Amino acid sequence: MKWERFVRPRAYLPGPVGPAPPAPSPAPARPPPAAALDPGVRLPRARTPRRGPTMAKRSSLFIRIVEGKNLPAKDITGSSDPYCIVKVDHEPIIRTATVWKTLCPFWGEEYQVHLLPTFHSVAFYVMDEDALSRDDVIGKVCLTRDTLATHPKGFSGWAHLTEVDPDEEVQGEIHLRLEVVLGTRACRLRCSVLEARDLAPKDRNGASDPFVRVRYNGRTQETSIVKKSRYPRWNETFEFELEEGAAEALCVEAWDWDLVSRNDFLGKVVFNVQRLRAAQQEEGWFRLQPDQSKSRREEGNLGSLQLEVRLRDEMVLPSGCYQPLVQLLCHEVKLGTQSPGQLILLIEETTSTECRQDVATTLLKLFLGQGLAKDFLDLLFQLELGRTSEANTLFRSNSLASKSMESFLKVAGMRYLHGVLGPIIDRVFEEKKYVELDPSKVEVKDVGCSGLHRPQTEAEVLEQSAQTLRAHLGALLSSLSRSVRACPAVVRATFRQLFRRVRERFPSAQDENVPFIAVTSFLCLRFISPAIMAPKLFHLRERHADARTSRTLLLLAKAVQNVGNMDTPASRAKEAWMEPLQPTVRQGVAQLKDFITKLVDIQEKEELDLQRALSLQAPLVKEGPLFIHRTKGKGPLMSSSFKKLHFSLTTEALSFAKTPSSKKSTLIKLAHIRAAEKVEEKSFGSSHVMQVIYTDDAGRSQTAYLQCKCVNELNQWLSALRKVSINNTGLLGSYHPGVFRGDKWSCCHQRDKTDLGCDKTRSRVTLQEWNDPLDHDLEAQLIYRHLLGVEATLRAL
């Protein structure tokens, strides 16, 4: 098969897909703008006519926060309770769990953020959580977009934490109009300070009292002070006399006014006056820059943070451009092993270990979108079985089949996992019992009531631990046995195919357990057990387990693995001290085999009926408890006016009910959503409030305010709402981050309720989740880019 047939079809893809080359533009009629040489300054760009198909540039950040070491002690106990906050351009996006009482925390948390290509930096703040006072800032690591762009494979390693300097913690933009006014005797420099947005909150009320100081050639002029606003409007103009040949720069500084203490710096923009004189006029929004004129102090010993951060920019073409590639892949999957093509096999052979999971996930999502996920996995099963001679090595490697099946279970089976495993995990966390089976690790403690303490024997600890684990394992196996009907039809059908293929490949009586072990190698060893050991990473818990709970979970996961391995002698011999669980494990093997037999007993008609019934329901995107407040009248909006309800977001509507099982009432039809954005902290005294702007049935604009319990939950809901409404007509380009209280907006103080928003909407800033809507064009582009990357290898095969 020719390489060009499936990778570089010249007729439909215009060469390698990457950053689009700039469109040719006419020669400028005047010199470049005044701020052209000032790094980081954002200026409005002239629109160039589009040529050819419309392309969309999409950026994403893969972030893995691994661990910290040598952090300073912030508590009187000589320890700290560290967690991380991740900010993109000073906007909090992620909060890790807190790791208690340690100076060397391990998080191991992974996130993927989709964001605008114009972002400037991502910063990691290590914080110390305090129950009675404000959390302490330990230090930060900041990576600019330019830095990440120089690491095509991503930044990976340890980075020293640096001290957080308030004068460098600036954010936001300022709207200026600059003119050089020609006179008969002298020229004058006119600077109009119009407005600013998204300024840093410097006061305890979550706002600032901003004013602007304009400096040129030894003269300083200031605007009025706008109280309690991060979105001030001044509309004030200042003039300076221009001296011929003067090299002085024009400096525009924003400050937060304070009555008693010194004013806080909010950022500045510096302009080259000679360039401005040549341009004569410039207007736009300019990003505020930190004050770096001060000499940096010696870095203290603040410890280090281990990170993995990878920036990915994709130029995604219209769907039609990818159709030949997608059709070729689908044709190969439909024909299975009878296909004369070997594209998927070649992809597997040319994929490195480092990127195999990404390629597997992308392929899986692409075929899910085509309704061919089961067929794709079946093809991979057959390919792997064809090269496997020993049954005990089947699906044990990190092959494309294994990685694709892992991704499939997370995408298609996560809600099922939560239903089966969630109650057991909750019980382990709530009981907080000391559990240990290894005699070499047992800690003997005093037991009994006051005055009657006696040391607990090692045998008693081991027996109580075995009883606790037997109870947890038994509950899990019972929950699994009852869950056949709850398992998604596509998951059952995929396991049916796997079971059949393995039984056909290993038909002898001595291999009768091999088909069952093939199923459990994915269901137990690669799905349930990892979720038990790291419940936060599977969204089963919000916090990491403490040391005691973590040990219980590890022992439970080992027991599940023994059951999944069908209690083979090899698995028993590894850790003989697990012997007290053997009766439950043996019983569990019988339960598990019975469960798998029923699980794979699904006929084609039943599968289609279940899928048809599911297609008639609006898919559930996200659900959970939130607090709601909807504005009515002119009364004050207080946090106490929020009411707790259970919310459900589907692809049709955002609905609520008193409890998860109560009858749901529709709050907002999905097609009516115009924006989903954060609300500034001062509005309700909380930084975890979002607003959903929508139109009612009469076409009037309405706003619902929803309060979350943490920044992660806030961003997860915002992400979900933005993803399901991304194709709505009439999406807003601006919004008010405050509320209309009394007779004005709390953010910008404008008195017209219908006034245009004072900040930009952020509809493209989202967190990737396992249940995200499929993005067919992006998945096709990622496969195409991968093929381009291994072009030389493919040509050599």
Side-chain angles (χ1 to χ4, degrees), residues 437-691:
L437 291 182
D438 186 349
S440 66
K441 296 182 179 180
V442 169
E443 298 177 9
V444 178
K445 297 184 179 181
D446 289 347
V447 295
C449 59
S450 178
L452 297 174
H453 288 292
R454 67 173 180 82
Q456 192 178 27
T457 66
E458 180 180 294
E460 289 175 327
V461 172
L462 293 174
E463 177 56 30
Q464 288 180 8
S465 298
Q467 289 179 6
T468 300
L469 285 171
R470 282 195 290 264
H472 290 322
L473 181 59
L476 174 55
L477 291 168
S478 296
S479 177
L480 194 62
S481 297
R482 297 190 302 268
S483 70
V484 173
R485 297 291 297 176
C487 187
V490 67
V491 175
R492 293 182 63 187
T494 302
F495 277 132
R496 177 194 63 205
Q497 291 296 99
L498 173 62
F499 193 88
R500 287 179 179 176
R501 298 296 185 191
V502 175
R503 188 166 57 184
E504 291 168 0
R505 177 67 180 81
F506 297 99
S508 64
Q510 66 182 19
D511 293 325
E512 65 174 341
N513 278 339
V514 174
F516 293 96
I517 292 176
V519 173
T520 61
S521 68
F522 292 115
L523 184 64
C524 295
L525 275 61
R526 292 177 181 263
F527 195 40
I528 294 178
S529 286
I532 292 173
M533 289 188 288
K536 185 180 188 303
L537 303 187
F538 283 75
H539 308 288
L540 286 159
R541 298 290 295 188
E542 293 179 7
R543 293 181 175 272
H544 292 297
D546 57 25
R548 174 179 290 190
T549 304
S550 182
R551 182 61 179 171
T552 304
L553 293 172
L554 177 62
L555 293 173
L556 179 59
K558 287 178 178 290
V560 171
Q561 289 173 350
N562 286 347
V563 176
N565 287 323
M566 298 291 147
D567 192 29
T568 58
S571 64
R572 286 200 302 271
K574 288 182 180 178
E575 293 160 326
W577 42 264
M578 294 284 287
E579 181 64 30
L581 300 184
Q582 280 310 112
T584 309
V585 169
R586 282 193 292 271
Q587 181 183 353
V589 170
Q591 284 180 274
L592 193 58
K593 290 181 72 172
D594 180 65
F595 164 73
I596 292 172
T597 302
K598 295 175 181 176
L599 187 74
V600 301
D601 185 20
I602 179 173
Q603 303 303 316
E604 297 285 348
K605 183 179 182 305
E606 184 183 1
E607 178 190 350
L608 291 173
D609 289 343
L610 289 171
Q611 290 176 348
R612 193 176 296 113
L614 187 62
S615 66
L616 296 176
Q617 305 171 10
L620 182 65
V621 177
K622 187 170 180 60
E623 64 177 340
L626 293 171
F627 293 84
I628 181 171
H629 182 109
R630 279 182 287 178
T631 56
K632 289 185 179 179
K634 294 187 177 181
L637 299 174
M638 303 300 292
S639 58
S640 59
S641 63
F642 281 88
K643 181 179 180 181
K644 187 176 182 180
L645 294 170
H646 187 86
F647 280 82
S648 300
L649 177 65
T650 68
T651 53
E652 291 182 357
L654 178 65
S655 304
F656 65 90
K658 288 186 177 181
T659 65
S661 57
S662 302
K663 184 179 179 181
K664 295 180 176 61
S665 300
T666 298
L667 173 65
I668 305 169
K669 293 178 181 177
L670 193 66
H672 293 178
I673 293 178
R674 297 293 172 260
E677 298 292 338
K678 294 180 181 178
V679 177
E680 61 177 342
E681 182 178 355
K682 71 171 186 176
S683 299
F684 296 102
S686 170
S687 57
H688 305 140
V689 179
M690 63 179 172
Q691 57 179 308

